[in-house]
């Protein structure tokens, strides 16, 4: 059992890198079945997310940017059930999370992440965005 766990861990690490985490799947017969379960990007400038992007984690490095960074979310109607994790890495400025158009985040026009290492887990219901 321990050998299997070590093998699976090594297999998982083999298919992982800084940008993507790969799940090799559990289907038998060696036929694959794996999928990318999350993608990470680090931004040092304004970042616009799209409804079709595979990026789930957005790290905003305000120190490298030298100040605040705005992350703009896609229209909630085009991103039903889409989830983003937005995290502030730096110490300079804030991360301003701005929904597209007339969308809101928990009823607010924008949200601000001010503390270093603070984050927001946000999901679309098809009408607006909600912090989860």
């Amino acid at each position: 059992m321990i050998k299997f766990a070590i093998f699976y861990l090594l297999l998982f690490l083999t298919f992982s890198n800084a940008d993507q985490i790969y799940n090799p799947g559990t289907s038998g017969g060696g036929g694959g079945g794996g999928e990318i379960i999350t993608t990470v990007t680090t931004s040092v400038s304004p970042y616009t997310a799209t409804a079709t992007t595979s990026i789930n984690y957005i790290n905003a490095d305000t120190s490298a940017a030298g100040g605040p960074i705005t992350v703009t979310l896609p229209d909630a109607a085009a991103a039903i059930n889409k989830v983003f994790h937005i995290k502030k890495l730096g110490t300079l400025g804030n991360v301003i999370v701005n929904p597209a158009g007339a969308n809101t985040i928990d009823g607010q026009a924008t949200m601000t992440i001010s503390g270093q290492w603070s984050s927001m887990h946000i999901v679309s219901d098809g009408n607006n965005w909600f912090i989860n």
Side-chain angles (χ1 to χ4, degrees), residues 19-75:
D19 297 322
Q20 299 175 338
I21 300 171
Y22 182 79
N23 176 4
T26 57
S27 61
E35 62 180 326
I36 294 173
I37 56 174
T38 191
T39 306
V40 179
T41 189
T42 299
S43 180
V44 296
S45 59
Y47 182 82
T48 301
T50 65
T52 58
T53 185
S54 65
I55 293 173
N56 299 84
Y57 283 85
I58 303 164
N59 293 321
D61 190 346
T62 57
S63 290
I69 295 175
T70 299
V71 174
T72 302
L73 301 172
D75 182 60

Side-chain angles (χ1 to χ4, degrees), residues 4-6 9-10 13 44 47 50 81 83 95 118 126:
F4 177 78
I6 291 171
L9 177 62
L10 290 174
L13 293 174
V44 296
Y47 182 82
T50 65
N81 297 322
V83 177
V95 175
S118 295

Side-chain angles (χ1 to χ4, degrees), residues 1-3 9 19 33 57 61 69 76 78 91 97 112 119:
M1 182 66 155
I2 291 175
K3 287 181 182 179
L9 177 62
D19 297 322
Y57 283 85
D61 190 346
I69 295 175
T91 58
V97 183
T112 301
S119 63

